[in-house]
Amino acid sequence: MLSSKYVHIIILLFILASFTGTSSADVVNPGEKTISLSYQLTNIQDYPDYVFILHGTPNPSMEVLNSSQFNFYKLSTCSIYAVPRTVFDSVKLDQMNETHVEQFLNNDSRVVRSNLQLDGIYGTVSDSNPLQSALITLKINSIQGNDLNIEKTSIIYSYENGQTEEKAFTNQDQTPEPSNPVSWGDYIYFIILPILALAAVIFILIRRRSN
């Protein structure tokens, strides 16, 4: 049987390990950058009788969604819930604390829960990659009973030169990859410089041969 002293030490070490894990997950490796990820419900206006709520772990506790783009903390995992507007107003959901909000969303029979889990980050890429951000568009397919069916329709990649690229989802479990167009810096580095170097080598060989 462990003494209370050792139990307290173990608990303290566990807490420290948890904080260390979180902080290390926030760190980006040298030479890499984080690509932000946003979402947008494109047909939310088709369901005016519902209030759509974003709830996640560790946050946000509750965010009321509209047709605008939204994002959240990169280490969070979130889901979308639909609450009948009359219920939302009667229970005063926007005045509840975090614990009561979570209990209501997960347990109340009047809440409609989505089939999707949303991630807060697209990922990391090298600093030389011109990719800047990503936006996933979502479509509400149906609300039946307690099931909110939402699908990913497309992902829109934005690049440092201002260009965008849209790719459709053909598989809900697989995100389409960006084409990763070459930036001007990469173009010079990987194409122009090798050509100039090859031309210089050829010129030197010709000079030597002529001599």
Side-chain angles (χ1 to χ4, degrees), residues 52-77:
F52 292 89
I53 294 170
L54 181 72
H55 170 74
T57 303
N59 59 63
S61 172
M62 186 188 77
E63 180 179 342
V64 176
L65 301 177
N66 51 36
S67 58
S68 301
Q69 298 178 22
F70 63 92
N71 53 39
F72 44 90
Y73 176 49
K74 67 181 183 179
L75 296 184
S76 286
T77 300

Side-chain angles (χ1 to χ4, degrees), residues 153-195:
T153 54
S154 67
I155 183 167
I156 302 172
Y157 293 108
S158 297
Y159 298 95
E160 293 172 351
N161 61 3
Q163 293 183 339
T164 59
E165 175 188 28
E166 184 171 2
K167 291 197 169 185
F169 274 85
T170 57
N171 184 337
Q172 291 294 294
D173 297 324
Q174 185 174 356
T175 302
E177 295 288 338
S179 298
N180 196 18
V182 178
S183 65
W184 279 108
D186 288 343
Y187 182 80
I188 294 172
Y189 185 81
F190 291 109
I191 299 178
I192 301 298
L193 289 183
I195 291 176

Side-chain angles (χ1 to χ4, degrees), residues 115-129:
N115 56 311
L116 279 183
Q117 281 196 331
L118 307 179
D119 296 320
I121 183 175
Y122 173 79
T124 57
V125 298
S126 67
D127 282 335
S128 62
N129 193 315

